[in-house]
C-alpha cells in the first residue's frame, strides 16, 4: 500500500472546527505518554463523516488504541528521530502553515492588478544586457546599462542605442521594438515596467532571470482590439496563484517580503540583526509554526495527523507489508496450512501470452524459443524482442480478459485493440479447475497472511506497551456525543 493512499485513508485533510478546549483532557496514556482528547475527537468525527455507517464510540476507540499503539512502537524504534523523517515533517509543517499566514489582502491586490492588465495591451521596446553569472562581468554590464540609461534621459536616441548595445539580437535589429503583447507574456518585473512606466518615458533598470532591461512603453490598446479572449477574474486568480509559487516570478519575493514584515511585527522579541533575508524568513516561520501549533487546534490536529500517520506507515511497512511479501518461507507455510481456503468456483485459463508486432515477428519468436521452458522463453522474448513484442503470464477466469476469452475459452468476441501489436499466440496454455500451486493464488494468500501478521503484531504490541484508557474522560465524551 502506498504511503499517500494510507494517509488518505487515515483521514482527509479537511477544515475542522475545534472541539472547544478539549486539549486539557487525556483519553489515553501509552508508556507514560498522554494522548489528548482533542486528537481522539478530531479523528473520531472525521472518520464518521467519511463512513456510510458511522462507528460507535466503543468501536472507534478500539481502532484508535491500535493506531496509537503502532505510533508508540514507531517512536520506540526511533523512527521519529531519523533525519529523513524529521525533514519530511518539517517540510509538511511549513507547507501547512502557509494558508494561516498568507496575507490575502496583499495577494488579492496582485490579482486585481493582473486582471486590470488583462484588458490592455501595451506596445514596448527594450535594451537588454544578458546575465553571465560572472560577478565582475555582471557588475560591469550593469554599470554599462546605468550609463546607457543616463544618456537616454539626456536625449539619446533609443532606437540607435538599442541597435548598438542591446544583447537581445532579435529586437535590437528593430531598435529594441517588441510590439504589442498581452499581460503574462514577459517576466513580471519587466511587465510591471511596461504597464506602469508612462508612454514614451524611460523605465528604471529592470532585472529578470535572463538579465537587465531598460524599457520604453509605447501606445496602449484594449485587448479586444487584438481579437484575444480576455480571461475571467477567476482564471486570472488561478494563474497568479500558480505563478507566485515560482522564485522566478517577482511576485514570489513580493509576497515573501510582505510576509516577513507581517511576521516581524508579530515577533518583535526575535533578534534578526545580521541575518540574511532567507535566514530571517526561516527564523520567523519557525517561530510562527510553534505559536500556531500551540494555539491553533486546526493546525495542530493536521500536523499531528500527518506526523502520526507517517509513523504508522513506516512501522507498518516493516512489520506487515514488506514482511508478507518478502517472507517466502512464512508465506509458503501459511499457504500449506490453509490450502483448503484457496479454491476456485470456476475454471481458470493459465499460460503465457505473447503479443507480436506482426506475423513475421511472431514466427521468428516461435523459432528462437523452440525447446525452451516457459521462464527461458519469457527471458529471451524480453531481451531480444522488447521493442516488437510483449510477454506476460496469465491466470484468469472467463471474463477476466477479452483476448484470453477468445484464445482459451473459445468465446466469440471482437478482438480487442492491441495498440502496437497485430498478432498473438499462447505458450503452455491450459484450463485448470483449481489452483496448482501458491503462485496461482499468491495475491490472495499475501492478503490473508498480512491479516494474520497484523493480528499477531497487535497482540504483541498490547503485551509490550502499557496502555490505559481514561474512563472518566470517555464518559464525558459519551455524554457529549449523546
Amino acid at each position: 500500500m502506498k504511503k499517500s493512499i494510507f494517509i488518505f485513508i487515515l483521514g482527509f485533510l479537511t477544515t475542522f472546527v475545534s472541539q472547544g478546549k478539549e486539549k486539557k483532557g487525556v483519553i489515553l496514556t501509552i508508556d507514560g505518554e498522554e494522548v489528548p482528547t482533542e486528537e481522539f475527537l478530531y479523528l473520531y468525527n472525521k472518520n464518521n463523516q467519511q463512513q456510510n455507517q458511522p462507528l460507535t464510540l466503543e468501536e472507534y476507540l478500539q481502532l484508535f488504541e491500535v493506531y496509537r499503539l503502532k505510533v508508540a512502537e514507531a517512536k520506540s524504534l526511533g523512527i521519529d528521530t531519523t533525519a529523513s523523517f524529521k525533514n519530511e515533517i518539517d517540510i509538511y509543517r511549513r507547507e501547512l502553515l502557509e494558508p494561516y499566514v498568507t496575507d490575502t489582502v496583499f495577494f488579492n491586490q496582485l490579482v486585481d492588478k493582473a486582471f486590470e492588465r488583462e484588458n490592455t495591451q501595451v506596445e514596448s521596446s527594450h535594451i537588454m544586457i544578458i546575465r553571465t553569472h560572472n560577478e565582475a562581468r555582471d557588475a560591469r554590464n550593469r554599470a554599462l546599462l546605468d550609463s546607457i540609461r543616463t544618456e537616454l534621459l539626456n536625449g539619446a536616441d533609443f532606437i540607435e542605442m538599442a541597435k548598438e548595445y542591446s544583447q537581445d539580437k532579435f529586437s535590437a535589429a528593430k531598435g529594441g521594438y517588441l510590439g504589442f503583447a498581452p499581460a503574462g507574456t514577459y517576466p513580471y518585473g519587466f511587465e510591471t515596467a511596461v504597464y506602469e512606466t508612462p508612454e514614451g518615458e524611460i523605465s528604471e533598470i529592470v532585472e529578470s532571470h535572463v538579465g537587465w532591461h531598460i524599457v520604453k512603453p509605447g501606445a496602449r490598446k484594449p485587448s479586444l482590439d487584438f481579437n484575444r479572449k480576455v480571461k475571467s477574474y477567476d482564471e486570472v486568480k488561478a494563474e497568479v496563484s500558480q505563478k507566485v509559487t515560482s522564485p522566478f516570478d517577482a511576485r514570489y519575493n513580493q509576497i515573501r517580503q510582505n510576509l516577513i514584515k507581517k511576521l516581524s511585527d508579530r515577533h518583535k522579541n526575535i533578534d534578526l540583526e545580521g541575518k540574511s533575508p532567507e535566514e530571517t524568513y526561516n527564523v520567523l516561520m519557525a517561530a510562527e509554526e510553534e505559536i500556531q501549533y500551540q494555539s491553533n487546534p486546526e493546525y495542530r490536529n493536521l500536523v499531528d495527523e500527518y506526523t502520526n500517520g507517517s509513523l504508522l506507515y513506516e512501522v507498518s511497512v516493516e512489520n506487515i507489508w514488506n514482511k508478507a511479501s518478502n517472507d517466502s518461507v512464512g508465506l509458503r507455510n501459511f499457504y500449506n496450512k490453509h490450502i483448503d481456503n484457496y479454491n476456485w468456483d470456476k475454471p481458470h485459463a493459465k499460460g503465457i501470452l505473447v503479443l507480436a508486432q506482426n506475423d513475421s515477428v511472431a514466427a521468428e519468436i516461435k523459432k528462437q524459443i523452440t525447446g525452451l521452458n516457459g521462464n527461458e522463453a519469457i527471458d529471451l522474448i524480453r531481451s531480444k524482442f522488447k521493442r516488437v513484442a510483449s510477454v506476460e503470464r496469465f491466470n484468469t477466469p472467463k471474463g477476466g480478459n477479452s483476448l484470453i476469452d477468445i484464445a482459451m475459452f473459445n468465446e466469440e468476441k471482437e478482438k480487442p485493440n492491441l495498440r502496437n501489436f497485430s498478432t498473438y499466440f499462447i505458450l503452455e496454455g491450459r484450463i485448470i479447475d483449481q489452483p496448482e500451486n501458491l503462485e496461482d493464488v499468491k495475491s490472495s494468500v499475501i492478503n490473508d497472511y498480512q491479516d494474520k501478521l497484523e493480528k499477531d503484531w497487535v497482540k504483541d504490541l498490547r503485551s509490550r506497551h502499557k496502555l490505559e484508557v481514561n474512563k472518566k474522560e470517555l464518559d464525558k465524551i459519551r455524554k457529549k456525543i449523546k
Side-chain angles (χ1 to χ4, degrees):
M1 185 180 291
K2 292 185 178 179
K3 181 173 184 178
S4 58
I5 298 174
F6 186 79
I7 293 173
F8 180 78
I9 292 173
L10 184 60
F12 300 113
L13 299 184
T14 54
T15 301
F16 170 78
V17 180
S18 122
Q19 305 290 324
K21 295 185 178 180
E22 294 286 355
K23 187 175 187 299
K24 292 181 180 178
V26 174
I27 185 64
L28 298 178
T29 303
I30 301 180
D31 298 338
E33 179 183 353
E34 295 181 341
V35 179
T37 303
E38 177 189 85
E39 176 186 338
F40 175 79
L41 282 173
Y42 167 69
L43 294 175
Y44 171 73
N45 288 334
K46 179 175 285 188
N47 178 79
N48 280 351
Q49 288 170 8
Q50 298 165 16
Q51 303 297 326
N52 291 328
Q53 294 182 327
L55 298 174
T56 66
L57 185 65
E58 284 67 24
E59 288 171 334
Y60 186 75
L61 180 61
Q62 292 296 310
L63 295 178
F64 187 75
E65 287 179 15
V66 172
Y67 159 60
R68 266 318 204 131
L69 281 167
K70 292 177 181 178
V71 171
E73 177 71 0
K75 290 181 177 179
S76 72
L77 296 172
I79 294 176
D80 59 327
T81 64
T82 63
S84 60
F85 183 85
K86 291 167 71 174
N87 183 60
E88 176 190 341
I89 299 304
D90 286 345
I91 291 173
Y92 176 77
R93 288 178 64 131
R94 181 64 56 85
E95 290 176 351
L96 185 60
L97 180 66
E98 289 180 2
Y100 296 96
V101 296
T102 298
D103 187 336
T104 55
V105 173
F106 183 76
F107 172 75
N108 287 335
Q109 288 173 350
L110 294 176
V111 176
D112 292 343
K113 184 174 292 187
F115 183 65
E116 180 183 340
R117 293 175 184 176
E118 180 70 18
N119 293 288
T120 306
Q121 291 195 24
V122 183
E123 184 181 38
S124 64
S125 301
H126 81 141
I127 297 171
M128 182 180 79
I129 299 295
I130 297 174
R131 186 191 305 276
T132 68
H133 299 289
N134 179 299
E135 189 173 336
R137 187 179 303 164
D138 284 345
R140 291 195 298 270
N141 286 341
R142 175 61 192 264
L144 171 62
L145 205 58
D146 277 330
S147 64
I148 292 171
R149 182 173 183 275
T150 299
E151 290 188 46
L152 291 171
L153 292 174
N154 288 330
D157 185 87
F158 190 95
I159 294 176
E160 294 304 318
M161 296 292 278
K163 288 180 177 180
E164 182 176 354
Y165 294 107
S166 182
Q167 294 177 353
D168 174 8
K169 298 303 180 185
F170 178 76
S171 67
K174 299 181 289 184
Y177 186 67
L178 297 171
F180 286 90
T185 301
Y186 303 124
Y188 187 74
F190 186 96
E191 175 186 290
T192 297
V194 169
Y195 276 88
E196 296 187 1
T197 303
E199 179 180 348
E201 295 192 12
I202 305 300
S203 73
E204 299 288 340
I205 292 177
V206 179
E207 183 175 2
S208 73
H209 64 281
V210 295
W212 296 270
H213 315 256
I214 298 171
V215 179
K216 183 179 180 181
R220 297 167 183 263
K221 293 184 178 181
S223 295
L224 294 176
D225 287 0
F226 298 89
N227 296 318
R228 176 177 178 269
K229 178 183 175 296
V230 177
K231 297 172 187 172
S232 69
Y233 187 87
D234 286 343
E235 289 174 323
V236 171
K237 186 173 185 177
E239 190 175 89
V240 173
S241 296
Q242 188 273 326
K243 287 187 174 182
V244 297
T245 63
S246 170
F248 293 113
D249 193 289
R251 286 166 291 192
Y252 172 88
N253 286 325
Q254 289 179 16
I255 286 177
R256 176 166 284 205
Q257 290 304 315
N258 179 69
L259 178 56
I260 287 175
K261 183 180 183 306
K262 178 180 175 182
L263 294 180
S264 296
D265 292 341
R266 188 179 301 174
H267 301 282
K268 293 181 179 179
N269 59 317
I270 297 178
D271 183 10
L272 301 172
E273 187 174 350
K275 289 182 169 56
S276 68
E278 188 66 21
E279 290 171 334
T280 298
Y281 173 78
N282 287 329
V283 168
L284 290 171
M285 286 292 278
E288 186 64 20
E289 281 178 28
E290 186 58 30
I291 284 183
Q292 290 287 345
Y293 185 81
Q294 295 300 330
S295 63
N296 185 337
E298 181 180 68
Y299 177 75
R300 178 171 57 250
N301 284 323
L302 290 173
V303 168
D304 288 346
E305 179 181 11
Y306 186 86
T307 303
N308 292 333
S310 296
L311 289 171
L312 176 58
Y313 171 81
E314 296 293 345
V315 77
S316 296
V317 165
E318 186 63 29
N319 286 275
I320 303 296
W321 304 320
N322 284 353
K323 189 172 182 179
S325 300
N326 300 331
D327 181 11
S328 57
V329 174
L331 188 66
R332 184 163 296 279
N333 290 338
F334 179 84
Y335 168 69
N336 291 334
K337 185 175 180 180
H338 302 89
I339 193 169
D340 292 339
N341 295 339
Y342 301 101
N343 294 317
W344 294 330
D345 58 4
K346 61 175 68 175
H348 281 218
K350 182 177 179 179
I352 300 170
L353 173 64
V354 182
L355 304 177
Q357 193 174 67
N358 51 51
D359 291 338
S360 298
V361 172
E364 183 61 26
I365 291 174
K366 291 177 182 179
K367 177 181 176 182
Q368 293 201 28
I369 64 174
T370 300
L372 301 181
N373 64 37
N375 289 334
E376 291 170 341
I378 289 173
D379 290 342
L380 185 144
I381 294 169
R382 287 177 175 170
S383 63
K384 291 191 175 183
F385 297 90
K386 58 184 177 181
R387 294 182 180 177
V388 292
S390 172
V391 58
E392 295 292 341
R393 288 189 178 275
F394 63 86
N395 185 333
T396 181
K398 184 189 293 186
N401 181 298
S402 295
L403 197 58
I404 301 304
D405 287 349
I406 297 170
M408 298 295 294
F409 292 105
N410 300 316
E411 287 284 300
E412 293 184 4
K413 291 184 176 181
E414 182 179 349
K415 181 181 175 182
N417 181 7
L418 303 179
R419 296 185 181 179
N420 299 325
F421 307 109
S422 64
T423 189
Y424 68 94
F425 60 91
I426 304 292
L427 296 175
E428 300 181 352
R430 60 196 187 280
I431 303 296
I432 56 176
D433 292 325
Q434 293 299 332
E436 296 178 325
N437 49 45
L438 170 60
E439 292 301 318
D440 288 342
V441 287
K442 191 169 185 178
S443 61
S444 296
V445 177
I446 287 177
N447 287 336
D448 292 344
Y449 189 43
Q450 284 179 343
D451 289 342
K452 178 188 182 300
L453 291 174
E454 167 79 14
K455 291 175 183 176
D456 292 346
W457 186 34
V458 170
K459 184 178 180 180
D460 175 61
L461 292 176
R462 287 192 179 278
S463 70
R464 291 190 293 105
H465 295 278
K466 184 179 180 182
L467 184 150
E468 296 177 338
V469 178
N470 186 337
K471 300 295 185 181
K472 291 183 178 180
E473 193 70 13
L474 188 61
D475 287 340
K476 289 180 183 178
I477 296 172
R478 188 178 291 109
K479 291 177 182 177
K480 183 171 184 178
I481 291 174
K482 287 181 179 179

